[in-house]
Structures are given as C-alpha cells and as structure tokens.
Amino acid sequence: MFYHAYDSYLENAFPYDELRPLTCDGHDTWGSFSLTLIDALDTLLILGNVSEFQRVVEVLQDNLDFDIDVNASVFETNIRVVGGLLSAHLLSKKAGVEVEAGWPCSGPLLRLAEEAARKLLPAFQTPTGMPYGTVNLLHGVNPGETPVTCTAGIGTFIVEFATLSSLTGDPVFEDVARVALMRLWESRSDIGLVGNHIDVLTGKWVAQDAGIGAGVDSYFEYLVKGAILLQDKKLMAMFLEYNKAIRNYTRFDDWYLWVQMYKGTVSMPVFQSLEAYWPGIQSLIGDIDNAMKTFLNYYTVWKQFGGLPEFYNIPQGYTVEKREGYPLRPELIESAMYLYRATGDPTLLELGRDAVESIEKISRVECGFATIKDLRDHKLDNRMESFFLAETVKYLYLLFDPDNFIHNNGSTFDTVITPYGECILGAGGYIFNTEAHPIDPAALHCCRRLKEEQWEVEDLMREFFSLKRNRSRVKKTMSSGPWEPPAGPGTFSSPENHDGVREKKPAKQKTPLLSCPSQPFTSKLALLGQVFLDSS
C-alpha cells in the first residue's frame, strides 16, 4: 500500500505537495514544500528502506527553501514540516546517513527544521501570545490576517518546539509554545472547558463549542505527549483537570458529545472521525478500560461504513449531511496501535485487517489511494493527503510489526559521543507528534541539559572572574603585591564547541542561576558568597 501510493506520488506529483490520484498529477496544498516527501520520510525508515531515506534526505537538503512568498498554515507547517524534519534528523544515523560532528545537536535537517520554525515565530507576536493561524513565509503575518484561530492551532507546538529548543539551544521556540499553552489554560471556562475558536488579539472565545474533536483535538494530545516527552508534571496536571471536565460534561455512554463551554449543555450530539485519537491518549495515561469502551464504539461505526465518516450523528446512528466523507484519516488506527501495545487484545488486530481491506477495496486507484468523498456510495475525491503516508500506513504497519525498532523497550540502544558528552539514543519510548513523526525523548537530553549546564558555568565563571578582578584591584591599592587566588585542582576556561568556536549564549535564561536566600544543604557550590544551587 505504501509503495503504491509513494511511487505514484514520485512519478506523477513530485515536486508538488500532494498527489491527485484520479487525474494522476500533483498540486500544492499547504505551502509548496514537496510536503508528501517530507511527511513520508520517517515512514521509509520504519519500513526498513534506508537507501530511499538517504536519497530523499539529499533531495530535501538540495531543494527545500522556505524563503518563499506563500501564506502557510502555522499549525500544518509545524506538525508536517518541522515535525517531519526533526524526526528524520534524529533517525538519520539509524538510516545510515553520514552525520556531522556534533549530531544530534547539529545537522542539515535540524537546520532546515529550525529555519521553517523561525518562519512561524512572527505568528506568535500577539498581545496574548497565542499565534495567528496563517503566516506569510517571506513577509510575516499579513496586515489583514484574521485573528480567529482554532484551539488546536494554538496548543499544538510544545512537542516540536521543545525538541527544537533542546537540540539547538535556543529557548525561544519552547518559550512561545509554553506561553500559548498557558493562555489557553487561563482562558478555560468556570466549568473547566475550552471552546473551538478564539480571538488571539483579545482572548475572547468566538466558537464556544467544547469537545475533544476537530479544532481542539491535538491541544489535549500535546498536553499528554508534552508531559511525557519533557517529564513535565504541570502539563499532565492540566490535562487531568481537563479530563475531569470532559468526563463530567461531554461523555455519554462512552461517546463524547459537543457541549456549550460555559453551560455544559449539549450543542452537537455527533462523533467526529478526528475524535478517534482519544482512546490512544487514554491508553497513554493508563486509562485502558475506558479507552477500550470508547474504541469499540468507534469501531462499530467503521464496521457500518468501511471507514469513519467525518461526522456521525449518534442518536440517529448515521452520517451527517455534507460530512459523509473519509479522507483516509489515521486516528482510529493510531488508537488501535497504542491499545494493542497496552493490551494485546486481538480485536485491535481485527480493526487493522478491516482497515487494510476497506482502503484497498474502496480507495485504491491506478495512481495511489483516493479520498472517499461519500462512504454511503463510495464515491471518490481527487486527493491523497500527505498524512496517508505519514500516519495511516505507518500506524497500520506498526500495529502488525511488534518487533519494529519504534517499539523498543530499552533492551537495546545506541551510544553517541557528542561535543557535550556521551549520549544514549534509540532506546525506545518514542513520542509521535500529531502527524505521527516519532521523536526520541532521549535526544533532548543529549544537547539540552549539557548546553544549559554549559551556559550556567559560563555565567558563573563570568561572575567569578568579574568579582576576582574587582577584589584584585582593591588588594592592589592596599598592598604592594597583587592578589592571587588560591591554587585549585583545575583551571576554568571559556566553554567552546568542537570547532573551537564559542557557543552562542541564549538571550534569555529561564531561571536565575545564582541566588542568595536561606540556602538548603543541597547547595553544592559557593563562590565568593554566591551559591550555585543543585537543581536536582
């Protein structure tokens, strides 16, 4: 399935973003990035195709350009382009790509990911810190840009942006992502729910429907995945608080409806196909029983139609007018993969088999796989979204491949020597972004912790030598001989990277590195009265 779609894209659509499978040609959809190629890159490695992975990396390095006069979705560019490039960067060594000295803290794909993300930063320059939905890659936010953005478009950055900050050492990406998350959290209603669309200039809710589906979905997903990736208790606490409100107001018989965010009254008794990610998120927090109940509800809809319609009216048990299509979305298969890893329940493999058979029978055409325009009569539409190769096929493959390296339980790993010390990679625990691009959480510690310590020591030494010079001048005025510090076991020098070039220090430190309150006994280093705290 993968190669039928992928080869059709290369033969008929490249360098356009996506394949049009009914007319066997291509078109640009999300910006003119050869998007399907970026989105499919890590899937190639998961399927074991290292030679094609290596070829595509070279193609992207030679051809990808973000200095283009294109209005791009901030959300889609982040999850598909930034996420795809970061994942491919971190998997490069496993794919046999010759990586440069300093990897994973440097590399051409990382530089491309950083370049793409920098093009998105102007969108975050709002009074609330919540980003606009669209940005021009060359000129920034257009003067007439609408300030109304969906909740998911604000809260779906922490996975990619924190990874980028950790690898590059520039905190700006993680900082803006965290501010956006906090503004949403502060904007929730008195009953603990968030709406669907908000004005990023005023912080006022424009669409007040609360649910777990379209327009909101990946915000909740990123609270959980961000918490796991960053070991961040605050993000998890936020999600668990939302989870209580969602259970209290939107859950009915293991379905999740849409309600008014301030009153909790039902506004739309529908299930959306995008909501099918929810059992997977429940499994990540260990709520397996509820996850299986909800999954089985959603599976009954799949069996009814051979796919998930975009909207399904729960009381009527049928599709909603003008929302009868299935664009080959991955969410139910994604949940099946997570739940199968957690339970081993063969029912989940049955869903996988049904999905393969349905997509093959209904959607396969000569040039790839076509979106199903209407599940009632199986009419097709002339589009194959890039997420079909990035997510749908990948999750199906991983569901049926228990020995894939992605499922590593820590029994094997790679040791990498970086300029900042030894680093463990590939031990498992991969976090998938919402476009199914896997991020190795261990990689964040390769560069982040060590670089932060480097900056801390640099600040400390600057303070130390400044005080030493001042004290030396004082002593010179009081005695004929210069003041000398006591001999120590080691000599400090300014930190340098592997090329002998001084590391660029970020403009902003997150926390004060030195302080003088009443110090606990965990303090490990004191210089001239200044105490350097043991953060552990």
Side-chain angles (χ1 to χ4, degrees), residues 247 250-257 293-294 297-298 314:
R247 281 203 312 265
T250 77
R251 181 180 171 188
F252 295 88
D253 293 331
D254 300 309
W255 295 95
Y256 292 84
L257 313 183
K293 288 174 187 173
T294 299
N297 275 349
Y298 298 169
I314 296 166

Side-chain angles (χ1 to χ4, degrees), residues 74 136 173 335 360 393 429 443 528:
V74 179
N136 184 284
F173 303 105
S335 286
E360 280 279 303
V393 174
L528 304 179

Side-chain angles (χ1 to χ4, degrees), residues 289-351:
D289 287 346
N290 285 320
M292 281 299 293
K293 288 174 187 173
T294 299
F295 176 87
L296 292 172
N297 275 349
Y298 298 169
Y299 187 19
T300 60
V301 180
W302 181 288
K303 288 195 278 193
Q304 185 179 351
F305 295 101
L308 286 187
E310 292 287 75
F311 282 37
Y312 178 81
N313 187 303
I314 296 166
Q316 293 178 2
Y318 208 62
T319 58
V320 174
E321 189 179 356
K322 296 185 180 175
R323 294 288 188 275
E324 305 94 347
Y326 171 56
L328 310 182
R329 289 197 190 278
E331 282 77 15
L332 190 63
I333 301 158
E334 174 188 6
S335 286
M337 185 207 72
Y338 279 117
L339 280 168
Y340 186 67
R341 299 299 301 168
T343 67
D345 188 326
T347 306
L348 300 153
L349 296 181
E350 291 174 18
L351 175 276

Side-chain angles (χ1 to χ4, degrees), residues 71-126:
N71 294 325
S73 162
V74 179
F75 169 83
E76 299 289 355
T77 304
N78 176 55
I79 67 171
R80 303 192 197 212
V81 178
V82 178
L85 291 170
L86 281 174
S87 181
H89 163 73
L90 292 173
L91 293 171
S92 289
K93 191 160 188 175
K94 183 174 279 295
V97 175
E98 191 173 336
V99 296
E100 65 185 46
W103 181 90
C105 310
S106 64
L109 293 180
L110 177 60
R111 287 189 284 274
L112 284 170
E114 182 180 5
E115 185 186 342
R118 286 202 186 280
K119 294 290 187 180
L120 306 181
L121 288 179
F124 290 83
Q125 294 172 5
T126 64

Side-chain angles (χ1 to χ4, degrees), residues 21-249:
L22 300 185
T23 50
C24 294
D25 57 9
H27 65 152
D28 283 335
T29 52
W30 295 112
S32 190
F33 307 122
S34 301
L35 186 61
T36 296
L37 205 59
I38 299 173
D39 245 358
L41 184 49
D42 51 40
T43 309
L44 284 166
L45 183 59
I46 286 169
L47 270 58
N49 193 338
V50 295
S51 58
E52 181 64 3
F53 183 100
Q54 293 168 7
R55 185 190 75 82
V56 173
V57 166
E58 288 186 13
V59 169
L60 293 177
Q61 285 176 215
D62 293 342
N63 297 293
L64 208 49
D65 180 17
F66 298 111
D67 283 323
I68 50 177
D69 188 4
V70 165
N71 294 325
S73 162
V74 179
F75 169 83
E76 299 289 355
T77 304
N78 176 55
I79 67 171
R80 303 192 197 212
V81 178
V82 178
L85 291 170
L86 281 174
S87 181
H89 163 73
L90 292 173
L91 293 171
S92 289
K93 191 160 188 175
K94 183 174 279 295
V97 175
E98 191 173 336
V99 296
E100 65 185 46
W103 181 90
C105 310
S106 64
L109 293 180
L110 177 60
R111 287 189 284 274
L112 284 170
E114 182 180 5
E115 185 186 342
R118 286 202 186 280
K119 294 290 187 180
L120 306 181
L121 288 179
F124 290 83
Q125 294 172 5
T126 64
T128 63
M130 295 188 283
Y132 284 96
T134 305
V135 67
N136 184 284
L137 299 180
L138 203 56
H139 305 297
V141 177
N142 289 325
E145 182 61 43
T146 174
V148 177
T149 307
C150 71
T151 304
I154 293 165
T156 309
F157 293 92
I158 192 67
V159 169
E160 298 84 2
F161 276 28
T163 299
L164 200 51
S165 283
S166 297
L167 296 179
T168 65
D170 189 339
V172 66
F173 303 105
E174 182 174 347
D175 287 349
V176 298
R178 283 188 180 276
V179 167
L181 283 177
M182 288 309 300
R183 292 297 88 81
L184 282 175
W185 172 250
E186 292 161 1
S187 302
R188 69 196 188 282
S189 69
D190 289 342
I191 60 174
L193 297 172
V194 289
N196 205 272
H197 284 74
I198 195 169
D199 187 314
V200 300
L201 299 182
T202 65
K204 291 195 166 137
W205 289 102
V206 177
Q208 298 180 359
D209 293 309
I212 61 170
V216 184
D217 48 1
S218 50
Y219 168 47
F220 295 138
E221 178 186 354
Y222 270 39
L223 288 176
V224 173
K225 291 182 174 179
I228 297 170
L229 181 70
L230 304 171
Q231 295 295 290
D232 190 311
K233 292 179 181 176
K234 187 171 186 181
L235 294 181
M236 185 60 78
M238 288 160 65
F239 174 79
L240 294 175
E241 201 61 35
Y242 278 130
N243 196 30
K244 283 184 201 166
I246 288 164
R247 281 203 312 265
N248 286 342
Y249 293 101

